[in-house]
Amino acid sequence: MANAALRAFSGFLILYLAFLLRQERFAPVSGDIALGMLAACAGAGGLAGTALGAWAKARAPRLLVLGTPAFATAVAAVCAALFGLWAALAAAFAGALGQSLGKLSMDATVQQEIGEDVRSSTFAVTETLHQLVWVLGGLLGLGMSIVADGRVALAAVAGALAAALAALLLRRPGRRRTRSDGRARVPGARPEAT
């Protein structure tokens, strides 16, 4: 769920900010320069997320799963309050960073907890679903660029991210999962031959 929220956040920001920066003027920067700065910040966020994730994913993927949405929520809330060109660029950086970290932590978690026999199909399904979520976030961003200013849009996104984070935190981490036959499922365990 955390990774889906981060993907939707990234998709939303890319399209919302791209259209907003073309429509709204942030003096003394022209719309084309602002759009280039947006692309540069999103690229830098993706690179930073990949570098940080490569270092941290083997050490604490679950911490990344919780910390990344919390970071993205805080950045979106601050950028909503202080909206302007620099806030938009910071949000683009945070969105790309969150998407990269979320993907790497999800991949590490799947590697650790999913059995080898279904791991590749799990990767395929999750990546497909996350691409769809990214597109839905982008469509929402496109729609909001028509009707909402930056403060309102980023405040709405911060609220949605906070709700996703709260839902993630309210899940009971000690809850045991059961298989279809009623027995407890051990993460990473191979299914018994029947």
Side-chain angles (χ1 to χ4, degrees):
M1 177 178 5
N3 200 8
L6 292 169
R7 290 283 182 105
F9 178 54
S10 175
F12 175 89
L13 286 176
I14 293 297
L15 287 179
Y16 178 79
L17 292 176
F19 280 94
L20 183 74
L21 292 177
R22 296 287 292 167
Q23 296 168 1
E24 200 168 309
R25 298 290 172 240
F26 294 99
V29 178
S30 72
D32 291 337
I33 292 175
L35 197 55
M37 292 170 73
L38 174 70
C41 285
L47 287 173
T50 301
L52 182 59
W55 175 79
K57 75 176 181 178
R59 292 166 182 80
R62 290 180 187 237
L63 180 62
L64 285 178
V65 168
L66 292 174
T68 304
F71 171 74
T73 302
V75 169
V78 169
C79 289
L82 305 173
F83 189 75
L85 177 62
W86 298 111
L89 298 176
F93 180 88
L97 177 87
Q99 179 177 327
S100 292
L101 284 176
K103 178 170 179 14
L104 290 172
S105 62
M106 176 74 153
D107 290 351
T109 302
V110 168
Q111 282 284 88
Q112 291 176 357
E113 297 188 6
I114 301 296
E116 196 174 319
D117 53 336
V118 294
R119 190 176 297 148
S120 61
S121 62
T122 302
F123 278 125
V125 168
T126 57
E127 190 58 32
T128 301
L129 290 174
H130 289 138
Q131 291 297 330
L132 289 173
V133 169
W134 189 94
V135 170
L136 291 174
L139 289 174
L140 183 61
L142 179 62
M144 287 193 79
S145 71
I146 298 168
V147 298
D149 72 346
R151 292 180 195 278
V152 172
L154 286 177
V157 168
L161 285 170
L165 181 60
L168 185 65
L169 291 172
L170 290 175
R171 289 181 60 207
R172 292 179 289 158
R175 185 175 70 197
R176 294 179 66 173
R177 296 188 178 138
T178 58
R179 299 184 323 188
S180 60
D181 61 2
R183 292 183 288 170
R185 184 178 82 68
V186 178
R190 297 185 64 120
E192 298 173 11
T194 54

